[in-house]
Amino acid sequence: MDFMRVKQDNIKVITTTSTSVGSGKTFVSSNLAASLAMTGKKVLLMDMDIRKGTLGKGVDTHKNIEGYDIGLTSYLSKIVTKVESLIIQDQDYPNIDIIRSGPEPPNPAELLLSPRLDELIRELREMYDFIVIDNVPAGMVADAMISNRVTDLTLYIIRAGKMDRRMLPEIEQLYREERLKNMAVILNGTGSGIGYGYGYGYGYGYGNDKDK
């Protein structure tokens, strides 16, 4: 990322997406956050999949003083007004904080269109060196396109052996039309045998627990 030629010099907000479930975008998001934290950076890992909340797996449910689950949707719907109320401290990585997706809303696309999302990201930019956002697959729902306005760099995850190669022209079109900001592609799961394994275990995609 340091050597990429992007339209803005300061890459601070990084979003992962994919064509469909099971590509490993949550795996990539979690390990990227861990890698950045290991360099001494203050990192926020945010689950913007407000339909399924994959990043929340393995993280204790965050509740407010009244006992209600809180997360990103709580802020977007104005149930919570203070950003600090959303933040969970990671127990294994002291430089990583987490914001869960929160309760599933009836109007996810409408919430992501809200200017409160822009306000939230602006405030978080002042608090962290990097914000890593685990988003929904761009090929399944409109949420990823709607919320992409707040990111600096989009990492499009393709998992080897999981995608029909005939879909590659569609991904190229996304890139050429610049529908995703500063889009780059990561080929995941190639089976090279190189095992860095930071072990930041928040799941591998959308509930594909059987995948190794």
Side-chain angles (χ1 to χ4, degrees):
M1 291 188 297
D2 287 340
F3 294 97
M4 287 179 62
R5 293 182 178 180
V6 297
K7 291 186 176 179
Q8 56 200 89
D9 295 329
N10 186 23
I11 296 176
K12 198 161 193 174
V13 181
I14 306 163
T15 298
T16 63
T17 187
S18 59
T19 299
S20 58
V21 300
S23 299
K25 62 181 184 55
T26 300
F27 175 82
V28 171
S29 300
S30 302
N31 281 274
L32 174 60
S35 300
L36 292 170
M38 287 176 180
T39 67
K41 302 297 184 181
K42 184 67 175 175
V43 183
L44 176 73
L45 187 54
M46 177 187 291
D47 190 348
M48 204 172 282
D49 183 350
I50 61 177
R51 297 175 187 262
K52 293 204 173 201
T54 53
L55 189 62
K57 294 180 179 180
V59 181
D60 291 338
T61 300
H62 192 31
K63 298 179 182 293
N64 66 5
I65 165 176
E66 288 82 17
Y68 292 103
D69 294 349
I70 60 175
L72 174 60
T73 55
S74 309
Y75 183 88
L76 297 181
S77 58
K78 301 182 181 181
I79 295 173
V80 172
T81 56
K82 293 183 178 180
V83 175
E84 292 77 11
S85 302
L86 307 175
I87 296 171
I88 305 171
Q89 173 71 58
D90 188 270
Q91 299 302 312
D92 298 318
Y93 293 84
N95 284 355
I96 296 180
D97 288 338
I98 300 166
I99 293 181
R100 297 176 67 252
S101 59
E104 183 179 350
N107 55 341
E110 182 180 337
L111 280 185
L112 293 172
L113 282 167
S114 168
R116 285 185 65 81
L117 177 60
D118 304 79
E119 295 167 9
L120 174 63
I121 298 299
R122 275 197 299 269
E123 187 167 346
L124 292 172
R125 282 178 181 271
E126 300 298 320
M127 299 169 60
Y128 295 93
D129 296 310
F130 289 99
I131 301 165
V132 180
I133 297 174
D134 182 23
N135 213 331
V136 297
M140 297 187 69
V141 290
D143 301 11
M145 299 294 183
I146 292 172
S147 60
N148 194 253
R149 68 186 187 276
V150 302
T151 197
D152 301 325
L153 173 67
T154 306
L155 300 180
Y156 199 103
I157 314 301
I158 296 174
R159 187 174 178 185
K162 289 286 185 179
M163 190 189 72
D164 190 330
R165 294 188 181 186
R166 289 173 294 184
M167 298 182 67
L168 287 174
E170 297 179 17
I171 297 174
E172 182 182 7
Q173 187 175 5
L174 285 177
Y175 173 78
R176 294 192 179 280
E177 294 178 356
E178 300 182 351
R179 295 175 62 189
L180 294 171
K181 193 177 295 184
N182 290 321
M183 176 181 161
V185 172
I186 290 181
L187 180 60
N188 180 39
T190 58
S192 64
I194 302 175
Y196 293 99
Y198 294 110
Y200 207 80
Y202 283 129
Y204 199 96
Y206 278 50
N208 292 307
D209 298 329
K210 293 181 182 180
D211 290 347
K212 295 182 180 179

